[in-house]
Amino acid sequence: MDGNNQILLVAFSAGKTESGESWIWFLSRPKECIGDMPSLAIVSDRANSIKMTIQSVFPNAYHRLFCRHLLMNMREKIGKQERTYILFWEAAKAYRESDFKESLGRLRRALNDDFQTWLDKIGNERWARSCFPIVRYNITTSNTVESVNALSRDTQKTIKIFINFFRATMQQWWFQERNAGAGSKKDVTEYGEKVIERKIHKPSAFQLYQIDQSRYVVTDQMKNGILNLESCYCTCGKWKLSGIPCTHAIAVFKELRYQHCNVWVSSYFTMETYRSIYIEVGFPVPVPAEYEEPDEVMVVFPPLMDKRQVGRPKNHNRIPSQGEGPIQKKCSRCQRIGHTSRNCDALFPAEPTKSESSSRTKSSGKSNVKSKSRHTSKVANNMMLLI
């Protein structure tokens, strides 16, 4: 994501399988461009091939997991438990370490010993926001990757169509964003400015107490916040982990009557950084008849293909992560698996369950007679339509 909270496509490729060999080749290409960057964060699912590749290609990078995929892994093991889901997201999205420990304690009490051991084996630093050692700008799901995958789903028939689609898409995106950045006279991106404005106009009853020239205590009737303007840090953790000043910092800026709060955002959200991202220009590929062939043409042999799997090729919008099984649809009308009531072709609904039949017997005899007559009329109508 760029500083304007829009999808930034860095690299793409086509591989025959999601194997360790394919991932090593793919991640080695960006490493040739960026090298061993300090404070590099890579977010992915729990695939073992990705984990081993990151340890091999980027051994100094911080690897974390998509919380959504981790939650789906838990769902496969514990079933649908809404309270467990709520507690998990509270722990995952907590900014303070104390809030995380409280939410994690409630989550552990809701789980059994096996799941507690499973969650401890993964490590809190790999999924909890407050435990991650560096800034990852609130990336908790793979929505950006799934959006790009869904965008290119119809072009994944052949390699040529796939590559040309991404080339044309990136050329169009880069041109639009480059023009938008050139026409803007602001110092901060539109997204960063909206977040600041929303926090400025948010009603609050904070009280400020100054410690020294750069530190303040802001009481918010909860756990308060100790602010340090020199290091751009607040004990609530939101300023550091998001790159945008928190509500405690905005309250201090109001008290000090600062005219421009945008200067306190991270450089990631500045227009200077935004323009530098889209400074490159994309060019279309000429037709084969206009290729400039070198004197010594390198012969490229076709790759060694694995044995094709039995059956028709798969065409999914997304690839399930490790431990995530498919969600089976169940019809509420005929109780069959594989479809829903909207496209059910059954002539009659399913027989009532024992609980439903027992509740119906408790009603009066007249109502039973009426219900039977209504059911008989419905059957007659269905028989007439069938004829």
Side-chain angles (χ1 to χ4, degrees):
M1 308 298 289
D2 60 13
N4 205 24
N5 199 33
Q6 296 176 341
I7 296 177
L8 176 61
L9 190 60
V10 178
F12 66 93
S13 72
K16 55 181 180 179
T17 57
E18 278 198 278
S19 60
E21 183 180 0
S22 299
W23 279 116
I24 289 177
W25 179 90
F26 176 71
L27 290 182
S28 298
R29 304 286 82 78
K31 187 176 182 180
E32 294 177 359
C33 302
I34 63 177
D36 290 324
M37 291 186 61
S39 302
L40 177 64
I42 299 178
V43 191
S44 70
D45 56 16
R46 295 181 59 235
N48 292 327
S49 58
I50 300 179
K51 178 182 177 181
M52 300 302 295
T53 303
I54 293 175
Q55 294 177 357
S56 176
V57 181
F58 291 102
N60 298 323
Y62 297 90
H63 182 207
R64 78 177 310 275
L65 304 175
F66 289 129
C67 295
R68 173 65 180 173
H69 288 265
L70 190 60
L71 184 62
M72 294 301 294
N73 296 157
M74 295 178 59
R75 181 178 179 178
E76 285 292 318
K77 300 177 182 298
I78 64 177
K80 294 183 178 180
Q81 297 183 12
E82 295 297 332
R83 174 172 171 77
T84 305
Y85 297 165
I86 295 174
L87 294 176
F88 174 81
W89 281 116
E90 285 182 358
K93 294 184 177 181
Y95 284 95
R96 294 176 183 263
E97 187 176 356
S98 58
D99 294 339
F100 166 73
K101 291 181 179 179
E102 294 175 0
S103 301
L104 182 62
R106 292 192 293 267
L107 177 62
R108 291 175 64 89
R109 287 192 292 270
L111 300 174
N112 55 31
D113 296 338
D114 295 336
F115 292 112
Q116 292 181 19
T117 306
W118 175 77
L119 199 61
D120 294 339
K121 187 181 298 184
I122 295 175
N124 299 333
E125 68 281 355
R126 299 194 64 191
W127 60 275
R129 176 159 50 189
S130 60
C131 299
F132 202 59
I134 61 175
V135 179
R136 55 175 179 79
Y137 300 100
N138 297 331
I139 300 297
T140 58
T141 63
S142 60
N143 292 342
T144 56
V145 183
E146 304 296 351
S147 299
V148 175
N149 188 31
L151 180 67
S152 61
R153 180 170 60 90
D154 296 333
T155 66
Q156 298 177 6
K157 306 298 182 182
T158 62
I159 298 296
K160 184 178 180 180
I161 298 176
F162 176 75
I163 298 298
N164 287 336
F165 169 80
F166 270 108
R167 195 273 313 158
T169 302
M170 294 179 67
Q171 177 184 339
Q172 181 182 8
W173 285 1
W174 257 241
F175 173 76
Q176 294 175 354
E177 302 305 327
R178 185 166 53 252
N179 283 0
S184 177
K185 298 181 180 179
K186 300 179 181 179
D187 298 330
V188 181
T189 60
E190 182 180 358
Y191 170 78
E193 191 175 32
K194 286 183 179 180
V195 175
I196 291 293
E197 289 294 329
R198 185 168 63 249
K199 292 182 179 181
I200 290 176
H201 296 94
K202 183 179 180 179
S204 61
F206 294 167
Q207 295 182 353
L208 279 67
Y209 302 96
Q210 190 168 2
I211 301 176
D212 53 20
Q213 296 298 324
S214 61
R215 285 179 287 188
Y216 295 82
V217 177
V218 183
T219 59
D220 56 2
Q221 298 179 356
M222 295 179 67
K223 294 185 178 181
N224 306 331
I226 302 177
L227 190 72
N228 191 336
L229 295 180
E230 289 184 356
S231 59
C232 298
Y233 175 78
C234 183
T235 54
C236 70
K238 295 183 179 181
W239 193 354
K240 177 184 177 182
L241 297 180
S242 66
I244 298 178
C246 58
T247 53
H248 302 116
I250 297 297
V252 174
F253 298 156
K254 287 182 179 180
E255 182 69 19
L256 298 177
R257 296 183 180 180
Y258 287 161
Q259 297 295 328
H260 302 285
C261 300
N262 296 338
V263 298
W264 296 92
V265 300
S266 172
S267 60
Y268 177 74
F269 298 98
T270 60
M271 287 302 301
E272 181 181 359
T273 303
Y274 184 79
R275 295 188 187 98
S276 65
I277 292 175
Y278 299 101
I279 196 174
E280 296 291 340
V281 180
F283 294 96
V285 180
V287 295
E290 299 178 355
Y291 285 171
E292 295 181 2
E293 297 184 2
D295 297 334
E296 297 180 0
V297 180
M298 181 178 63
V299 179
V300 180
F301 295 98
L304 298 176
M305 302 301 295
D306 297 334
K307 185 178 180 181
R308 182 177 176 180
Q309 296 181 356
V310 181
R312 298 179 62 184
K314 297 180 180 179
N315 188 13
H316 298 297
N317 291 338
R318 58 182 297 272
I319 300 175
S321 64
Q322 182 185 15
E324 179 184 354
I327 300 176
Q328 294 183 349
K329 298 179 181 179
K330 185 177 182 180
C331 179
S332 59
R333 188 169 181 267
C334 66
Q335 304 300 323
R336 289 187 297 178
I337 297 175
H339 66 277
T340 59
S341 59
R342 293 184 178 181
N343 52 3
C344 180
D345 57 353
L347 183 61
F348 302 109
E351 293 294 332
T353 58
K354 294 182 179 180
S355 59
E356 292 177 352
S357 58
S358 60
S359 62
R360 289 180 182 178
T361 54
K362 293 181 182 179
S363 58
S364 61
K366 294 182 179 180
S367 62
N368 288 336
V369 172
K370 290 182 180 179
S371 63
K372 290 180 180 179
S373 61
R374 292 175 183 174
H375 180 69
T376 305
S377 61
K378 289 183 179 180
V379 172
N381 292 332
N382 290 333
M383 293 293 291
M384 292 174 65
L385 292 174
L386 181 62
I387 295 173

